[in-house]
Amino acid sequence: MNLPSFAEVRDAAARIAPHALVTPVMRSDRIDALVGAPIVFKCENLQRGGAFKYRGATNAVWSLAEDEAARGVVTHSSGNHGNALAMAARARGVPAHIVVPEGAVKAKLDAIVAAGATVHRCEATTAAREAKAAEVQAQTGAVLVHPYADARVMAGQGTVVPEMLRQAPGLDTVLVPVGGGGLASGCAIAAHGMDPSIVVLAAEPEGADDAARSLEAGARVGPFAPHTICDGLRPLMGEPNFHALRDHNVRVLRVSDAETIAAMRLLWTELRLVVEVSSATVLAAALRYPQYLAGRRIGAVLTGGNVDIDALPW
Amino acid sequence: MNLPSFAEVRDAAARIAPHALVTPVMRSDRIDALVGAPIVFKCENLQRGGAFKYRGATNAVWSLAEDEAARGVVTHSSGNHGNALAMAARARGVPAHIVVPEGAVKAKLDAIVAAGATVHRCEATTAAREAKAAEVQAQTGAVLVHPYADARVMAGQGTVVPEMLRQAPGLDTVLVPVGGGGLASGCAIAAHGMDPSIVVLAAEPEGADDAARSLEAGARVGPFAPHTICDGLRPLMGEPNFHALRDHNVRVLRVSDAETIAAMRLLWTELRLVVEVSSATVLAAALRYPQYLAGRRIGAVLTGGNVDIDALPW
């Protein structure tokens, strides 16, 4: 199974340091009181490109040998990973090809174009996305950088954990959202590389709970039709990501969309942060599951801020 | 004229350190390109209470002798200073009396009440506010902490400058909004205490340009009827504040509300920050006046984030 080691997370941290921001951590007395435990929020919504995805994409792009990089990179994404990969490729001065399915949010498509990538459109199915990416790869020799089932990407996403623990020493619990599982895998590997006693929790929408069901069943469940407002958490968890979460005893906490929207609003009123609805799952989970959080010191990752601010979900 | 010294700004920084946040600084390649010069933004919208006002209020409250403090503090404010003073008083465990004029935004009033202050209502005129505050002062012995014409408040607001220069070394230009002038005065004193060659600029709405007109005339102009969406910048500049701006050669840059609203939106799209419209005047000014900014390294203060996110001004 192609998973990164903790040493690769550390290498990734050094590799992305010239490019990615050290995002701030924030906290609130009122949120601590509501959760019943101290909780800090790592503000990847303020990362370049507005999401943690820039870490993984940057690590992948700068991991390539010169001759590989010169042929460019390709991925399929309707969202933050596509934009992050386009930005990372531009920073290195190499071509990026982003396969964007029909129905993608126009603002995200515009951002990908603005970052100088070549956009390839396809139908909005996983099969069509993968077929188009393979076609581009065959034509151009570009290197595929999968949004989450890629060790370089996972290592890059995992860099958020040592950074957060440096900023907020003494955390014993890491809480992240889980969708495809790139962030959750990287963070579990990084957390246990630093301290095997750290508890890693993942928040998942009830309407896209394949990670929870897969871990309960002991085997990865198959494709499903997601029903959640959390667009970033709809993908089926990747196969290597499943293994990472299982091997690192990651507990998945299901939350409803209503709880997540209320948490998104609370992050605004208490911390003046507007985050993507997917990001707010971590606070929703912290509020819903005190049994796993009492007495702990929690670091939660706010994954992104690419929101249509004129169409907030409440 | 009762102005703080630079030593008092330094004392304030030590005094507020256990309470106020070290807010992050942020920047964007695209904004740098639009401005034509490197510009960092000091995110006081992420300060406790959602505004830089917490610095000045905290310095004032913790400057008091025990017996003074025990009698409490009083101010008149319909906005961020009232909330900041209430929070600072609660932190010290002393009473706060906030005179709030009719017509104040309900959310700001609610925040003041939530911080445990006693609210006193009055008519929405300067005379009524001052009379009511004097009445409360006479009844309770509370210490008046004026929103801007107070040396302790100015010193506290000025602490933002050494903090920003530590985070972004090499800045040669400081750019802040000007309303009553507490922030602008404190920042001018702090900047020139650190380095007399720093240029201090202040952004002011065209519809409330009393600071610009006062400095042009060489004397403080009288009361006027403001016409600007920037509610935080409507007050008449204070008398000591006028002297500080004049003596520190602060140049005032007028901006229109339309420019400010566009800048507010740009801060969201580029930096994922939702700031008060008053805060966005600094970016509006940077975009409108390249003649004062070319070749410089700018630190701009985003003053607050207490926005009704369901009623954005575009």
Side-chain angles (χ1 to χ4, degrees):
Chain A
M1 200 49 64
N2 191 12
L3 291 172
S5 64
F6 179 51
E8 287 170 305
V9 176
R10 283 216 267 231
D11 291 347
R15 193 174 288 120
I16 73 173
H19 307 286
L21 299 182
V22 176
T23 54
V25 294
M26 293 190 64
R27 55 166 300 285
S28 139
D29 290 341
R30 175 140 182 269
I31 291 178
D32 283 1
L34 291 169
V35 169
I39 182 167
V40 301
F41 296 94
K42 177 69 169 161
C43 298
E44 289 295 298
N45 57 306
L46 302 179
Q47 186 52 266
R48 285 187 149 188
F52 74 95
K53 296 281 189 181
Y54 189 70
R55 295 176 182 265
T58 296
N59 187 51
V61 165
W62 291 90
S63 296
L64 300 175
E66 279 294 336
D67 58 329
E68 284 182 305
R71 296 198 300 273
V73 289
V74 58
T75 198
H76 48 89
S77 162
S78 56
N80 291 332
H81 175 67
N83 182 35
L85 192 67
M87 289 176 67
R90 184 177 54 177
R92 189 162 177 182
V94 303
H97 300 272
I98 314 294
V99 175
V100 179
E102 299 300 334
V105 176
K106 185 174 178 304
K108 294 198 174 178
L109 180 61
D110 291 347
I112 293 168
V113 172
T118 303
V119 170
H120 305 265
R121 304 307 300 264
C122 72
E123 284 180 60
T125 68
T126 302
R129 288 163 58 145
E130 292 181 349
K132 176 61 86 174
E135 185 188 317
V136 173
Q137 220 184 332
Q139 284 170 355
T140 62
V143 178
L144 179 67
V145 180
H146 190 278
Y148 44 87
D150 181 303
R152 300 162 298 194
V153 170
M154 287 185 255
Q157 319 301 35
T159 61
V160 75
V161 166
E163 190 173 297
M164 177 168 69
L165 268 74
R166 203 162 55 238
Q167 294 170 301
L171 299 179
D172 59 22
T173 305
V174 169
L175 173 56
V176 300
V178 62
L183 177 66
S185 307
C187 287
I189 291 163
H192 291 157
M194 296 186 73
D195 178 350
S197 75
I198 291 175
V199 171
V200 182
L201 303 171
E204 187 171 49
E206 289 172 345
D209 67 343
D210 63 300
R213 289 186 290 118
S214 296
L215 291 167
E216 284 159 8
R220 184 165 163 255
V221 301
F224 66 104
H227 294 287
T228 174
I229 193 174
C230 300
D231 57 301
L233 305 181
R234 289 177 193 145
L236 183 66
M237 185 171 51
E239 184 68 24
N241 311 88
F242 166 71
H243 286 270
L245 268 61
R246 189 190 58 190
D247 295 351
H248 285 273
N249 297 308
V250 175
R251 182 189 293 275
V252 179
L253 306 176
R254 291 176 175 91
V255 291
S256 72
D257 281 0
E259 290 165 336
T260 298
I261 291 167
M264 179 179 168
R265 189 162 179 111
L266 188 60
L267 287 164
W268 165 251
T269 56
E270 290 304 311
L271 292 176
R272 294 291 177 253
L273 299 173
V274 179
V275 300
E276 293 185 28
V277 63
S278 299
S279 302
T281 54
V282 293
L283 178 55
L287 293 168
R288 175 162 163 180
Y289 296 97
Q291 64 268 41
Y292 300 126
L293 294 168
R296 306 207 66 88
R297 299 171 60 86
I298 311 148
V301 179
L302 299 177
T303 46
N306 292 326
V307 178
D308 180 352
I309 201 163
D310 298 315
L312 296 167
W314 48 73
Chain B
M1 199 51 62
N2 192 11
L3 291 171
S5 65
F6 179 50
E8 287 170 305
V9 176
R10 282 216 268 231
D11 290 348
R15 193 175 287 120
I16 74 173
H19 308 285
L21 299 181
V22 176
T23 55
V25 294
M26 294 192 62
R27 55 165 302 283
S28 139
D29 289 342
R30 175 139 182 269
I31 291 177
D32 283 1
L34 291 170
V35 169
I39 181 166
V40 301
F41 296 95
K42 177 69 169 161
C43 297
E44 289 294 298
N45 58 306
L46 303 178
Q47 185 53 267
R48 286 187 147 190
F52 74 95
K53 296 281 190 181
Y54 189 70
R55 296 177 182 265
T58 297
N59 187 52
V61 165
W62 292 91
S63 296
L64 300 174
E66 278 295 334
D67 58 328
E68 283 182 306
R71 296 197 300 271
V73 289
V74 57
T75 198
H76 49 89
S77 162
S78 56
N80 290 331
H81 175 67
N83 182 34
L85 191 68
M87 290 176 66
R90 183 175 57 177
R92 189 160 177 184
V94 303
H97 300 272
I98 314 295
V99 174
V100 180
E102 300 300 334
V105 176
K106 185 173 177 303
K108 295 198 173 176
L109 180 61
D110 290 349
I112 292 169
V113 172
T118 303
V119 170
H120 305 264
R121 304 307 299 264
C122 71
E123 282 180 61
T125 67
T126 302
R129 289 162 58 145
E130 293 181 348
K132 176 62 87 174
E135 184 188 317
V136 173
Q137 219 184 333
Q139 285 170 355
T140 63
V143 178
L144 178 68
V145 180
H146 190 278
Y148 45 87
D150 181 302
R152 299 160 299 194
V153 169
M154 286 184 255
Q157 319 302 34
T159 61
V160 76
V161 166
E163 191 173 298
M164 177 168 70
L165 268 72
R166 203 162 56 238
Q167 293 169 302
L171 299 179
D172 59 23
T173 305
V174 169
L175 172 56
V176 299
V178 61
L183 178 66
S185 307
C187 287
I189 291 163
H192 291 157
M194 296 186 74
D195 178 352
S197 76
I198 291 175
V199 171
V200 182
L201 303 171
E204 187 171 50
E206 289 173 346
D209 66 343
D210 64 299
R213 288 185 290 117
S214 296
L215 290 168
E216 284 160 7
R220 186 164 161 255
V221 300
F224 66 105
H227 294 287
T228 173
I229 193 174
C230 301
D231 57 301
L233 305 181
R234 288 178 194 144
L236 182 68
M237 185 170 52
E239 183 69 24
N241 311 90
F242 166 72
H243 285 270
L245 268 62
R246 189 191 59 190
D247 295 351
H248 285 274
N249 296 308
V250 175
R251 183 188 292 276
V252 178
L253 305 175
R254 291 176 175 93
V255 291
S256 73
D257 281 1
E259 290 165 336
T260 297
I261 292 168
M264 178 179 170
R265 189 160 180 111
L266 188 60
L267 287 164
W268 165 252
T269 57
E270 289 305 309
L271 291 176
R272 294 291 177 254
L273 298 174
V274 179
V275 299
E276 294 184 27
V277 65
S278 299
S279 303
T281 54
V282 293
L283 178 55
L287 292 168
R288 176 163 163 180
Y289 296 96
Q291 63 269 40
Y292 300 126
L293 294 168
R296 307 206 65 89
R297 299 170 61 85
I298 310 148
V301 180
L302 298 176
T303 45
N306 291 327
V307 178
D308 180 353
I309 200 163
D310 298 315
L312 295 167
W314 48 74

